[in-house]
């Protein structure tokens, strides 16, 4: 805050206490304080963007603003990663015979040996796989720790991994926290700390979301060397904070063929200008600012979300012409915080860029009822009736992805 010359920030929304004066807004009347979005198809000098060649230039303007003000700049040079397979197991997942490899991606730390980064990656392919598509999840590489005495709910129907295997594809999971810790104190550690030689960030240095995406790209480097994987058909998927990171990864790395962006909310696919559930002020606060560039904090005071030179529709547009599936749960089942409508509006507003590139938009700008499947275009959207989970939308995503893979 000192670097930004800021002494105080506006308070975020309270998501838990209904009686709190700053309880999160869940009503349309107050949801759109800043209805005018930055125009994706107008150059900074005011000239219109008319052709795909124009867009290639405009894209750079937009990417620069996201780098500087929102997610922070990825360093021009990042250390090399050497992948080591630490175990190979032939096993069964449901009815499928698979081979699972566990890997560690050793990041070259010769420039600053005090910080060690070993990226955790698991990949499972059908046995005898030759050049199969792979879905890469930013998620948990080890079983999620449950409290003692708590048993996990029995899975209903095939897991997402089994649904992927049923297509003949493989799946992989990369552990974001092994790339970059998920807290502010960790900014002098992980890949961000390593590149900065243990020093704090500058205001436009990258945050955790972009660092997690960087790690996913390094997994993709490994896939490109693996004869089992078709590296031109790799999907990136993530949920919640990892949904945000998956969208950033998609925007950053054109080698990701398709994205499944689940309940990404604020800092992800949801418009920063919306006031519904989580707000810019929450993302800029102590628990989450490390996801973003330091500069992003300015927009929680004295600047406002309306001062942001870009918004989430332009992040989705940075993925064009590649297909992106924006997913949400429902308000009723507890996923109101992520603002499904704010994500829908961003997906819809990315449409003109997809169309300029000869692709199809969402097909509507009317926010549809829960469980409406909008997957005919190259930007897709579906709000399932469940809660804060990608679960119920896996079949829809895989149907969408099958059109491309
Ligand atoms: C919090 C946070 C969200 C985030 C979520 C998660 O709810 O406010 O921005 O997406 O945690 O990652 O589970």
């Amino acid at each position: 805050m000192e670097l930004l010359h800021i002494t105080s920030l506006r308070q975020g929304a309270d998501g838990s206490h209904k009686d709190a004066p700053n309880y999160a807004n869940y009503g349309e009347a107050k949801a759109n304080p800043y209805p005018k979005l930055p125009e994706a198809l107008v150059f900074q000098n005011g000239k219109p963007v008319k052709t795909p060649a124009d867009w290639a230039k405009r894209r750079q303007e937009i990417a620069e603003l996201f780098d500087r003000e929102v997610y922070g700049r990825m360093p021009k040079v990042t250390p090399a990663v050497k992948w080591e397979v630490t175990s190979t197991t032939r096993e069964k997942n449901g009815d499928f015979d698979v081979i699972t490899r566990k890997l560690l991606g050793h990041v070259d730390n010769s420039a600053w040996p005090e910080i060690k980064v070993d990226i955790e990656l698991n990949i499972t392919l059908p046995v005898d796989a030759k050049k199969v598509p792979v879905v890469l999840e930013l998620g948990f590489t080890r079983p999620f720790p449950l409290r003692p005495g708590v048993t996990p709910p029995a899975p209903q129907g095939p897991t997402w991994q089994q649904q992927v295997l049923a297509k003949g594809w493989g799946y992989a999971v990369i552990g974001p926290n092994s790339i970059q810790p998920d807290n502010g104190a960790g900014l002098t550690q992980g890949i961000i700390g390593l590149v900065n030689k243990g020093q704090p960030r500058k205001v436009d240095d990258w945050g955790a979301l972009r660092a997690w995406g960087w790690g996913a790209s390094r997994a993709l480097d490994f896939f490109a060397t693996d004869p089992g994987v078709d590296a031109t058909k790799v999907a990136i998927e993530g949920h919640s904070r990892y949904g945000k990171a998956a969208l950033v990864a998609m925007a950053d790395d054109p080698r990701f063929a398709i994205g499944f962006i689940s309940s990404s909310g604020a800092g992800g696919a949801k418009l920063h200008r919306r006031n519904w559930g989580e707000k810019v002020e929450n993302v800029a606060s102590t628990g989450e600012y490390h996801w973003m560039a330091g500069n992003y904090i300015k927009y929680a005071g004295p600047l406002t979300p309306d001062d942001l030179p870009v918004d989430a529709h332009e992040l989705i547009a940075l993925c064009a012409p590649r297909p992106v599936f924006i997913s949400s749960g429902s308000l009723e089942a507890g996923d109101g915080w992520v603002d499904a409508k704010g994500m829908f509006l961003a997906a819809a507003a990315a449409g003109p860029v997809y169309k300029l590139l000869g692709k199809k938009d969402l097909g509507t700008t009317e926010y549809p009822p829960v469980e409406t499947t909008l997957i005919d275009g190259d930007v897709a959207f579906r709000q399932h009736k469940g809660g804060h989970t990608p679960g119920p939308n896996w079949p829809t995503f895989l149907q969408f992805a099958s059109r491309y893979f």
Side-chain angles (χ1 to χ4, degrees):
M1 285 171 71
E2 258 169 51
L3 293 179
L4 295 168
H5 311 290
I6 292 178
T7 49
S8 70
L9 297 175
R10 291 185 304 275
Q11 199 181 22
D14 181 329
S16 343
H17 304 96
K18 281 214 156 134
D19 301 329
N22 61 330
Y23 182 62
N25 176 54
Y26 290 116
E28 261 320 303
K30 286 191 190 161
N32 281 312
Y34 312 116
K36 206 174 161 318
L37 300 181
E39 300 233 36
L41 291 180
V42 178
F43 282 107
Q44 265 161 2
N45 65 11
K47 294 223 170 86
V49 174
K50 288 188 181 149
T51 63
D54 285 350
W55 170 251
K57 293 193 198 118
R58 172 65 180 142
R59 192 186 184 285
Q60 287 177 20
E61 289 185 351
I62 293 173
E64 161 62 20
L65 294 170
F66 273 109
D67 286 358
R68 198 184 71 207
E69 301 295 315
V70 184
Y71 298 111
R73 297 179 195 285
M74 187 183 295
K76 287 209 178 67
V77 180
T78 51
V81 177
K82 213 173 137 209
W83 287 103
E84 179 202 359
V85 178
T86 58
S87 73
T88 303
T89 315
R90 193 186 162 125
E91 56 188 2
K92 276 219 174 253
N93 187 341
D95 296 337
F96 305 97
D97 292 304
V98 297
I99 294 181
T100 295
R101 281 169 291 167
K102 294 192 175 192
L103 294 101
L104 285 178
H106 305 293
V107 182
D108 178 3
N109 65 347
S110 48
W112 196 253
E114 279 156 56
I115 297 175
K116 198 165 172 254
V117 181
D118 286 321
I119 306 175
E120 295 175 4
L121 173 70
N122 299 343
I123 175 166
T124 299
L125 299 180
V127 286
D128 305 326
K130 278 185 202 73
K131 286 213 165 289
V132 297
V134 163
V135 178
L136 171 62
E137 172 169 88
L138 285 151
F140 297 94
T141 49
R142 297 177 238 177
F144 194 72
L146 289 166
R147 268 174 288 127
V150 175
T151 35
Q156 297 186 329
T159 63
W160 74 264
Q161 292 91 337
Q162 291 160 355
Q163 294 176 55
V164 168
L165 291 171
K167 296 254 168 222
W169 306 349
Y171 60 86
V173 180
I174 189 163
N177 291 6
S178 66
I179 304 162
Q180 180 60 39
D182 192 3
N183 56 71
L187 287 168
T188 50
Q189 298 152 31
I191 184 61
I192 296 176
L194 175 56
V195 173
N196 282 342
K197 303 196 164 133
Q199 293 304 304
R201 295 187 301 170
K202 296 191 292 301
V203 291
D204 61 348
D205 276 352
W206 54 344
L209 297 180
R210 178 153 263 154
W212 292 338
W214 171 87
S217 288
R218 302 294 70 80
L220 193 45
D221 298 342
F222 168 74
F223 298 157
T225 67
D226 188 321
V229 177
D230 182 349
T232 69
K233 294 194 174 73
V234 174
I236 177 95
E237 178 261 339
H239 171 66
S240 210
R241 67 197 63 192
Y242 303 148
K244 308 179 208 293
L247 186 54
V248 174
M250 221 8 225
D252 277 350
D253 192 336
R255 296 174 304 164
F256 286 117
I258 186 167
F260 178 1
I261 313 303
S262 168
S263 294
S264 59
K270 170 230 178 101
L271 294 172
H272 300 262
R273 280 168 175 72
R274 287 266 297 176
N275 171 25
W276 180 293
E278 188 171 24
K279 304 202 287 187
V280 167
E281 289 81 355
N282 295 85
V283 181
S285 72
T286 52
E288 303 182 4
Y289 77 96
H290 60 280
W291 294 340
M292 315 298 280
N295 269 333
Y296 184 79
I297 299 172
K298 295 183 296 192
Y299 300 94
L303 300 179
T304 73
D306 205 27
D307 294 313
L308 272 162
V310 281
D311 212 322
H313 61 305
E314 290 167 303
L315 181 64
I316 299 172
L318 291 183
C319 305
R322 290 162 297 141
V324 183
F325 178 67
I326 307 291
S327 168
S328 177
S330 72
L331 172 70
E332 293 69 27
D335 208 19
W337 187 239
V338 306
D339 187 9
K341 184 167 178 184
M343 298 193 287
F344 168 83
L345 292 172
V353 174
Y354 276 83
K355 283 174 88 171
L356 182 72
L357 300 180
K359 298 290 173 178
K360 275 173 84 179
D361 63 10
L362 266 184
T364 180
T365 51
E366 289 288 312
Y367 183 51
V370 174
E371 304 248 298
T372 306
T373 301
L374 298 173
I375 57 168
D376 292 340
D378 297 283
V379 199
F381 176 86
R382 186 171 186 269
Q383 181 183 24
H384 62 70
K385 66 174 190 291
H388 189 55
T389 164
N393 265 351
W394 271 104
T396 311
F397 169 69
L398 292 174
Q399 187 191 344
F400 178 57
S402 299
R403 255 183 28 222
Y404 303 91
F405 288 1

